């Protein structure tokens, strides 16, 4: 089991930037992929970005490609989501998750961190 704790959310004006962090603990040696998702009330959870833990290959949702950057620091067992040029539609609760037990399935989730972008 991997435990995840997100941080770095907050209130930012449109056009601003935020960097989210996701600290992993527990059985981190079995982590395959770390992903970021977001969700707003009444809507389904949306994939944002993912990174393979060993090779660092990345994948982005079309809506954030070129604006957000996902990264990881294996030594610190921490993942990051750098978000630039934020717009009000980016307002959501952001979650990190990992695939650890079974590749292709996110099996550990953090509690989320709120990002609010004001116009």
């Amino acid at each position: 089991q991997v435990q995840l704790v997100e941080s770095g959310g907050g209130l930012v004006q449109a056009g601003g930037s935020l960097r989210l962090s996701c600290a992993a603990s527990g059985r981190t040696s079995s982590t395959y992929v770390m992903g970021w998702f977001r969700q707003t009330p009444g809507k389904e959870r949306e994939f944002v970005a993912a990174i393979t833990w060993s090779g660092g290959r990345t994948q982005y949702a079309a809506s954030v490609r070129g604006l957000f950057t996902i990264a990881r620091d294996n030594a610190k067992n921490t993942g990051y989501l750098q978000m630039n040029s934020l717009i009000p539609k980016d307002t959501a609760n952001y979650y990190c998750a990992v695939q650890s037990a079974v590749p292709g399935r996110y099996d550990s989730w953090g509690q989320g961190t709120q990002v609010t972008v004001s116009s």
Side-chain angles (χ1 to χ4, degrees):
Q1 190 81 19
V2 178
Q3 292 78 45
L4 302 170
V5 178
E6 303 96 335
S7 61
L11 175 64
V12 63
Q13 288 189 330
S17 298
L18 281 175
R19 188 178 81 155
L20 306 183
S21 298
C22 177
S25 60
R27 300 188 62 180
T28 58
S29 61
S30 62
T31 298
Y32 298 104
V33 173
M34 176 176 281
W36 286 93
F37 297 78
R38 63 187 181 186
Q39 189 170 24
T40 55
K43 292 189 177 181
E44 291 189 359
R45 186 169 54 205
E46 176 189 16
F47 168 77
V48 176
I51 187 167
T52 59
W53 205 245
S54 59
R57 288 185 292 119
T58 58
Q59 182 182 10
Y60 295 93
S63 59
V64 306
R65 192 174 296 122
L67 301 172
F68 291 8
T69 302
I70 189 171
R72 88 274 186 253
D73 184 331
N74 296 64
K76 295 182 178 180
N77 287 323
T78 300
Y80 305 95
L81 185 68
Q82 176 69 42
M83 306 185 295
N84 298 327
S85 301
L86 287 161
I87 60 176
K89 281 188 176 181
D90 293 319
T91 295
N93 204 2
Y94 283 72
Y95 299 88
C96 67
V98 296
Q99 300 173 16
S100 57
V102 178
R105 184 170 69 90
Y106 288 96
D107 46 33
S108 295
W109 293 82
Q111 293 299 307
T113 185
Q114 178 66 35
V115 172
T116 302
V117 184
S118 64
S119 57

